[in-house]
PDB file of all heavy atoms in Angstrom:
ATOM      1  N   LEU A   1      93.782 -58.669  41.075  1.00  0.00           N
ATOM      2  CA  LEU A   1      92.379 -58.442  41.349  1.00  0.00           C
ATOM      3  C   LEU A   1      92.264 -57.536  42.571  1.00  0.00           C
ATOM      4  O   LEU A   1      92.938 -57.755  43.583  1.00  0.00           O
ATOM      5  CB  LEU A   1      91.652 -59.767  41.645  1.00  0.00           C
ATOM      6  CG  LEU A   1      91.844 -60.911  40.645  1.00  0.00           C
ATOM      7  CD1 LEU A   1      91.125 -62.160  41.149  1.00  0.00           C
ATOM      8  CD2 LEU A   1      91.323 -60.514  39.268  1.00  0.00           C
ATOM      9  N   LEU A   2      91.404 -56.517  42.491  1.00  0.00           N
ATOM     10  CA  LEU A   2      91.192 -55.615  43.617  1.00  0.00           C
ATOM     11  C   LEU A   2      89.759 -55.754  44.121  1.00  0.00           C
ATOM     12  O   LEU A   2      88.806 -55.565  43.357  1.00  0.00           O
ATOM     13  CB  LEU A   2      91.455 -54.159  43.206  1.00  0.00           C
ATOM     14  CG  LEU A   2      92.859 -53.828  42.677  1.00  0.00           C
ATOM     15  CD1 LEU A   2      92.972 -52.332  42.409  1.00  0.00           C
ATOM     16  CD2 LEU A   2      93.934 -54.272  43.670  1.00  0.00           C
ATOM     17  N   PHE A   3      89.631 -56.085  45.409  1.00  0.00           N
ATOM     18  CA  PHE A   3      88.321 -56.268  46.029  1.00  0.00           C
ATOM     19  C   PHE A   3      88.030 -55.149  47.026  1.00  0.00           C
ATOM     20  O   PHE A   3      88.933 -54.663  47.706  1.00  0.00           O
ATOM     21  CB  PHE A   3      88.263 -57.614  46.757  1.00  0.00           C
ATOM     22  CG  PHE A   3      88.350 -58.806  45.860  1.00  0.00           C
ATOM     23  CD1 PHE A   3      89.514 -59.556  45.787  1.00  0.00           C
ATOM     24  CD2 PHE A   3      87.274 -59.194  45.084  1.00  0.00           C
ATOM     25  CE1 PHE A   3      89.609 -60.665  44.963  1.00  0.00           C
ATOM     26  CE2 PHE A   3      87.346 -60.304  44.251  1.00  0.00           C
ATOM     27  CZ  PHE A   3      88.517 -61.043  44.193  1.00  0.00           C
ATOM     28  N   PHE A   4      86.756 -54.799  47.142  1.00  0.00           N
ATOM     29  CA  PHE A   4      86.362 -53.706  48.029  1.00  0.00           C
ATOM     30  C   PHE A   4      85.294 -54.116  49.038  1.00  0.00           C
ATOM     31  O   PHE A   4      84.868 -53.304  49.855  1.00  0.00           O
ATOM     32  CB  PHE A   4      85.865 -52.522  47.201  1.00  0.00           C
ATOM     33  CG  PHE A   4      86.926 -51.968  46.290  1.00  0.00           C
ATOM     34  CD1 PHE A   4      87.187 -52.545  45.048  1.00  0.00           C
ATOM     35  CD2 PHE A   4      87.699 -50.888  46.688  1.00  0.00           C
ATOM     36  CE1 PHE A   4      88.183 -52.054  44.218  1.00  0.00           C
ATOM     37  CE2 PHE A   4      88.699 -50.386  45.859  1.00  0.00           C
ATOM     38  CZ  PHE A   4      88.940 -50.982  44.627  1.00  0.00           C
ATOM     39  N   SER A   5      84.866 -55.369  49.001  1.00  0.00           N
ATOM     40  CA  SER A   5      83.880 -55.851  49.968  1.00  0.00           C
ATOM     41  C   SER A   5      83.903 -57.377  49.989  1.00  0.00           C
ATOM     42  O   SER A   5      84.319 -58.019  49.012  1.00  0.00           O
ATOM     43  CB  SER A   5      82.473 -55.382  49.591  1.00  0.00           C
ATOM     44  OG  SER A   5      82.021 -56.097  48.452  1.00  0.00           O
ATOM     45  N   PRO A   6      83.457 -57.971  51.093  1.00  0.00           N
ATOM     46  CA  PRO A   6      83.348 -59.432  51.152  1.00  0.00           C
ATOM     47  C   PRO A   6      82.435 -59.967  50.056  1.00  0.00           C
ATOM     48  O   PRO A   6      82.660 -61.058  49.528  1.00  0.00           O
ATOM     49  CB  PRO A   6      82.758 -59.677  52.551  1.00  0.00           C
ATOM     50  CG  PRO A   6      83.223 -58.511  53.356  1.00  0.00           C
ATOM     51  CD  PRO A   6      83.146 -57.344  52.400  1.00  0.00           C
ATOM     52  N   THR A   7      81.403 -59.183  49.713  1.00  0.00           N
ATOM     53  CA  THR A   7      80.470 -59.602  48.665  1.00  0.00           C
ATOM     54  C   THR A   7      81.184 -59.790  47.336  1.00  0.00           C
ATOM     55  O   THR A   7      80.901 -60.723  46.580  1.00  0.00           O
ATOM     56  CB  THR A   7      79.347 -58.561  48.498  1.00  0.00           C
ATOM     57  OG1 THR A   7      78.709 -58.345  49.762  1.00  0.00           O
ATOM     58  CG2 THR A   7      78.308 -59.032  47.494  1.00  0.00           C
ATOM     59  N   GLY A   8      82.140 -58.905  47.035  1.00  0.00           N
ATOM     60  CA  GLY A   8      82.901 -59.027  45.797  1.00  0.00           C
ATOM     61  C   GLY A   8      83.740 -60.285  45.765  1.00  0.00           C
ATOM     62  O   GLY A   8      83.841 -60.970  44.738  1.00  0.00           O
ATOM     63  N   VAL A   9      84.345 -60.610  46.893  1.00  0.00           N
ATOM     64  CA  VAL A   9      85.165 -61.827  46.993  1.00  0.00           C
ATOM     65  C   VAL A   9      84.296 -63.060  46.759  1.00  0.00           C
ATOM     66  O   VAL A   9      84.661 -63.972  46.006  1.00  0.00           O
ATOM     67  CB  VAL A   9      85.849 -61.915  48.377  1.00  0.00           C
ATOM     68  CG1 VAL A   9      86.656 -63.202  48.482  1.00  0.00           C
ATOM     69  CG2 VAL A   9      86.743 -60.697  48.611  1.00  0.00           C
ATOM     70  N   LYS A  10      83.137 -63.073  47.393  1.00  0.00           N
ATOM     71  CA  LYS A  10      82.240 -64.225  47.255  1.00  0.00           C
ATOM     72  C   LYS A  10      81.678 -64.322  45.845  1.00  0.00           C
ATOM     73  O   LYS A  10      81.403 -65.419  45.356  1.00  0.00           O
ATOM     74  CB  LYS A  10      81.109 -64.115  48.284  1.00  0.00           C
ATOM     75  CG  LYS A  10      81.599 -64.279  49.723  1.00  0.00           C
ATOM     76  CD  LYS A  10      80.496 -64.032  50.733  1.00  0.00           C
ATOM     77  CE  LYS A  10      81.031 -64.160  52.157  1.00  0.00           C
ATOM     78  NZ  LYS A  10      79.993 -63.842  53.174  1.00  0.00           N
ATOM     79  N   ALA A  11      81.528 -63.170  45.183  1.00  0.00           N
ATOM     80  CA  ALA A  11      81.027 -63.175  43.802  1.00  0.00           C
ATOM     81  C   ALA A  11      82.039 -63.834  42.866  1.00  0.00           C
ATOM     82  O   ALA A  11      81.664 -64.538  41.925  1.00  0.00           O
ATOM     83  CB  ALA A  11      80.729 -61.757  43.342  1.00  0.00           C
ATOM     84  N   LEU A  12      83.327 -63.602  43.138  1.00  0.00           N
ATOM     85  CA  LEU A  12      84.357 -64.261  42.323  1.00  0.00           C
ATOM     86  C   LEU A  12      84.279 -65.767  42.507  1.00  0.00           C
ATOM     87  O   LEU A  12      84.342 -66.538  41.538  1.00  0.00           O
ATOM     88  CB  LEU A  12      85.748 -63.761  42.707  1.00  0.00           C
ATOM     89  CG  LEU A  12      86.900 -64.441  41.959  1.00  0.00           C
ATOM     90  CD1 LEU A  12      86.930 -64.008  40.498  1.00  0.00           C
ATOM     91  CD2 LEU A  12      88.245 -64.151  42.610  1.00  0.00           C
ATOM     92  N   LYS A  13      84.130 -66.183  43.752  1.00  0.00           N
ATOM     93  CA  LYS A  13      84.042 -67.617  44.060  1.00  0.00           C
ATOM     94  C   LYS A  13      82.818 -68.235  43.392  1.00  0.00           C
ATOM     95  O   LYS A  13      82.877 -69.360  42.884  1.00  0.00           O
ATOM     96  CB  LYS A  13      83.966 -67.807  45.577  1.00  0.00           C
ATOM     97  CG  LYS A  13      83.999 -69.257  46.033  1.00  0.00           C
ATOM     98  CD  LYS A  13      85.373 -69.860  45.851  1.00  0.00           C
ATOM     99  CE  LYS A  13      85.450 -71.240  46.476  1.00  0.00           C
ATOM    100  NZ  LYS A  13      86.804 -71.836  46.321  1.00  0.00           N
ATOM    101  N   LYS A  14      81.711 -67.480  43.352  1.00  0.00           N
ATOM    102  CA  LYS A  14      80.481 -67.979  42.742  1.00  0.00           C
ATOM    103  C   LYS A  14      80.648 -68.141  41.242  1.00  0.00           C
ATOM    104  O   LYS A  14      80.209 -69.140  40.657  1.00  0.00           O
ATOM    105  CB  LYS A  14      79.334 -67.012  43.033  1.00  0.00           C
ATOM    106  CG  LYS A  14      78.003 -67.370  42.388  1.00  0.00           C
ATOM    107  CD  LYS A  14      76.937 -66.367  42.786  1.00  0.00           C
ATOM    108  CE  LYS A  14      75.571 -66.708  42.179  1.00  0.00           C
ATOM    109  NZ  LYS A  14      75.538 -66.547  40.714  1.00  0.00           N
ATOM    110  N   ASN A  15      81.301 -67.167  40.604  1.00  0.00           N
ATOM    111  CA  ASN A  15      81.478 -67.215  39.152  1.00  0.00           C
ATOM    112  C   ASN A  15      82.596 -68.153  38.722  1.00  0.00           C
ATOM    113  O   ASN A  15      82.569 -68.698  37.624  1.00  0.00           O
ATOM    114  CB  ASN A  15      81.754 -65.808  38.628  1.00  0.00           C
ATOM    115  CG  ASN A  15      80.502 -64.969  38.487  1.00  0.00           C
ATOM    116  OD1 ASN A  15      79.811 -65.030  37.479  1.00  0.00           O
ATOM    117  ND2 ASN A  15      80.182 -64.191  39.518  1.00  0.00           N
ATOM    118  N   PHE A  16      83.611 -68.297  39.605  1.00  0.00           N
ATOM    119  CA  PHE A  16      84.757 -69.156  39.283  1.00  0.00           C
ATOM    120  C   PHE A  16      85.021 -70.103  40.457  1.00  0.00           C
ATOM    121  O   PHE A  16      85.974 -69.918  41.220  1.00  0.00           O
ATOM    122  CB  PHE A  16      86.004 -68.315  39.001  1.00  0.00           C
ATOM    123  CG  PHE A  16      85.842 -67.338  37.857  1.00  0.00           C
ATOM    124  CD1 PHE A  16      85.394 -66.047  38.094  1.00  0.00           C
ATOM    125  CD2 PHE A  16      86.128 -67.715  36.547  1.00  0.00           C
ATOM    126  CE1 PHE A  16      85.242 -65.143  37.049  1.00  0.00           C
ATOM    127  CE2 PHE A  16      85.973 -66.819  35.498  1.00  0.00           C
ATOM    128  CZ  PHE A  16      85.528 -65.531  35.747  1.00  0.00           C
ATOM    129  N   PRO A  17      84.168 -71.112  40.628  1.00  0.00           N
ATOM    130  CA  PRO A  17      84.314 -72.016  41.783  1.00  0.00           C
ATOM    131  C   PRO A  17      85.648 -72.758  41.826  1.00  0.00           C
ATOM    132  O   PRO A  17      86.086 -73.167  42.900  1.00  0.00           O
ATOM    133  CB  PRO A  17      83.136 -72.988  41.609  1.00  0.00           C
ATOM    134  CG  PRO A  17      82.725 -72.869  40.170  1.00  0.00           C
ATOM    135  CD  PRO A  17      83.008 -71.461  39.790  1.00  0.00           C
ATOM    136  N   ASP A  18      86.308 -72.903  40.682  1.00  0.00           N
ATOM    137  CA  ASP A  18      87.590 -73.617  40.635  1.00  0.00           C
ATOM    138  C   ASP A  18      88.763 -72.654  40.499  1.00  0.00           C
ATOM    139  O   ASP A  18      89.853 -73.044  40.057  1.00  0.00           O
ATOM    140  CB  ASP A  18      87.595 -74.610  39.462  1.00  0.00           C
ATOM    141  CG  ASP A  18      86.501 -75.660  39.579  1.00  0.00           C
ATOM    142  OD1 ASP A  18      86.255 -76.117  40.712  1.00  0.00           O
ATOM    143  OD2 ASP A  18      85.885 -76.002  38.549  1.00  0.00           O
ATOM    144  N   PHE A  19      88.544 -71.395  40.886  1.00  0.00           N
ATOM    145  CA  PHE A  19      89.590 -70.378  40.748  1.00  0.00           C
ATOM    146  C   PHE A  19      90.861 -70.758  41.503  1.00  0.00           C
ATOM    147  O   PHE A  19      90.823 -71.119  42.680  1.00  0.00           O
ATOM    148  CB  PHE A  19      89.076 -69.036  41.276  1.00  0.00           C
ATOM    149  CG  PHE A  19      90.125 -67.950  41.320  1.00  0.00           C
ATOM    150  CD1 PHE A  19      90.542 -67.334  40.151  1.00  0.00           C
ATOM    151  CD2 PHE A  19      90.695 -67.560  42.528  1.00  0.00           C
ATOM    152  CE1 PHE A  19      91.512 -66.334  40.173  1.00  0.00           C
ATOM    153  CE2 PHE A  19      91.655 -66.560  42.569  1.00  0.00           C
ATOM    154  CZ  PHE A  19      92.071 -65.949  41.392  1.00  0.00           C
ATOM    155  N   GLU A  20      91.977 -70.700  40.799  1.00  0.00           N
ATOM    156  CA  GLU A  20      93.282 -70.944  41.412  1.00  0.00           C
ATOM    157  C   GLU A  20      94.106 -69.674  41.257  1.00  0.00           C
ATOM    158  O   GLU A  20      94.309 -69.187  40.147  1.00  0.00           O
ATOM    159  CB  GLU A  20      93.979 -72.131  40.746  1.00  0.00           C
ATOM    160  CG  GLU A  20      93.271 -73.468  40.993  1.00  0.00           C
ATOM    161  CD  GLU A  20      94.036 -74.644  40.408  1.00  0.00           C
ATOM    162  OE1 GLU A  20      95.166 -74.427  39.917  1.00  0.00           O
ATOM    163  OE2 GLU A  20      93.506 -75.768  40.423  1.00  0.00           O
ATOM    164  N   GLN A  21      94.607 -69.152  42.354  1.00  0.00           N
ATOM    165  CA  GLN A  21      95.271 -67.856  42.340  1.00  0.00           C
ATOM    166  C   GLN A  21      96.599 -67.860  41.600  1.00  0.00           C
ATOM    167  O   GLN A  21      96.869 -66.987  40.776  1.00  0.00           O
ATOM    168  CB  GLN A  21      95.485 -67.356  43.775  1.00  0.00           C
ATOM    169  CG  GLN A  21      96.112 -65.971  43.832  1.00  0.00           C
ATOM    170  CD  GLN A  21      96.214 -65.459  45.255  1.00  0.00           C
ATOM    171  OE1 GLN A  21      95.840 -66.140  46.202  1.00  0.00           O
ATOM    172  NE2 GLN A  21      96.730 -64.250  45.410  1.00  0.00           N
ATOM    173  N   GLY A  22      97.444 -68.814  41.878  1.00  0.00           N
ATOM    174  CA  GLY A  22      98.744 -68.853  41.227  1.00  0.00           C
ATOM    175  C   GLY A  22      99.522 -67.564  41.432  1.00  0.00           C
ATOM    176  O   GLY A  22      99.705 -67.104  42.554  1.00  0.00           O
ATOM    177  N   ASP A  23      99.947 -66.931  40.330  1.00  0.00           N
ATOM    178  CA  ASP A  23     100.717 -65.685  40.405  1.00  0.00           C
ATOM    179  C   ASP A  23      99.841 -64.436  40.439  1.00  0.00           C
ATOM    180  O   ASP A  23     100.354 -63.314  40.448  1.00  0.00           O
ATOM    181  CB  ASP A  23     101.662 -65.582  39.194  1.00  0.00           C
ATOM    182  CG  ASP A  23     102.816 -66.572  39.306  1.00  0.00           C
ATOM    183  OD1 ASP A  23     103.085 -67.034  40.427  1.00  0.00           O
ATOM    184  OD2 ASP A  23     103.444 -66.864  38.267  1.00  0.00           O
ATOM    185  N   ILE A  24      98.523 -64.599  40.442  1.00  0.00           N
ATOM    186  CA  ILE A  24      97.627 -63.447  40.450  1.00  0.00           C
ATOM    187  C   ILE A  24      97.680 -62.755  41.813  1.00  0.00           C
ATOM    188  O   ILE A  24      97.492 -63.384  42.848  1.00  0.00           O
ATOM    189  CB  ILE A  24      96.176 -63.867  40.146  1.00  0.00           C
ATOM    190  CG1 ILE A  24      96.079 -64.501  38.756  1.00  0.00           C
ATOM    191  CG2 ILE A  24      95.235 -62.662  40.241  1.00  0.00           C
ATOM    192  CD1 ILE A  24      94.720 -65.068  38.428  1.00  0.00           C
ATOM    193  N   ARG A  25      97.972 -61.451  41.812  1.00  0.00           N
ATOM    194  CA  ARG A  25      97.997 -60.710  43.071  1.00  0.00           C
ATOM    195  C   ARG A  25      96.575 -60.306  43.464  1.00  0.00           C
ATOM    196  O   ARG A  25      95.741 -60.076  42.596  1.00  0.00           O
ATOM    197  CB  ARG A  25      98.823 -59.424  42.929  1.00  0.00           C
ATOM    198  CG  ARG A  25     100.309 -59.607  43.091  1.00  0.00           C
ATOM    199  CD  ARG A  25     100.927 -60.373  41.974  1.00  0.00           C
ATOM    200  NE  ARG A  25     102.366 -60.102  41.899  1.00  0.00           N
ATOM    201  CZ  ARG A  25     103.090 -60.214  40.816  1.00  0.00           C
ATOM    202  NH1 ARG A  25     102.530 -60.579  39.679  1.00  0.00           N
ATOM    203  NH2 ARG A  25     104.393 -59.973  40.838  1.00  0.00           N
ATOM    204  N   ILE A  26      96.360 -60.204  44.768  1.00  0.00           N
ATOM    205  CA  ILE A  26      95.063 -59.780  45.277  1.00  0.00           C
ATOM    206  C   ILE A  26      95.248 -58.653  46.282  1.00  0.00           C
ATOM    207  O   ILE A  26      96.056 -58.750  47.205  1.00  0.00           O
ATOM    208  CB  ILE A  26      94.305 -60.948  45.938  1.00  0.00           C
ATOM    209  CG1 ILE A  26      93.874 -61.977  44.883  1.00  0.00           C
ATOM    210  CG2 ILE A  26      93.083 -60.436  46.700  1.00  0.00           C
ATOM    211  CD1 ILE A  26      93.106 -63.165  45.447  1.00  0.00           C
ATOM    212  N   GLY A  27      94.497 -57.557  46.060  1.00  0.00           N
ATOM    213  CA  GLY A  27      94.475 -56.437  46.992  1.00  0.00           C
ATOM    214  C   GLY A  27      93.071 -56.301  47.549  1.00  0.00           C
ATOM    215  O   GLY A  27      92.089 -56.561  46.844  1.00  0.00           O
ATOM    216  N   ALA A  28      92.957 -55.922  48.819  1.00  0.00           N
ATOM    217  CA  ALA A  28      91.642 -55.814  49.449  1.00  0.00           C
ATOM    218  C   ALA A  28      91.506 -54.504  50.211  1.00  0.00           C
ATOM    219  O   ALA A  28      92.462 -54.038  50.837  1.00  0.00           O
ATOM    220  CB  ALA A  28      91.417 -56.993  50.401  1.00  0.00           C
TER     221      ALA A  28
END
């Protein structure tokens, strides 16, 4: 997942409140 703003990060949390990262890479 590639994020470009804090708003985008919070939007993921809002849509997937139980999101577990596991092996998913995150770039910011």
Side-chain angles (χ1 to χ4, degrees):
L1 309 176
L2 301 184
F3 294 105
F4 298 83
S5 72
T7 305
V9 178
K10 292 174 182 177
L12 177 71
K13 185 72 172 181
K14 177 178 181 292
N15 280 275
F16 301 91
D18 299 321
F19 174 75
E20 293 184 6
Q21 183 176 1
D23 288 340
I24 299 174
R25 277 69 159 205
I26 291 180

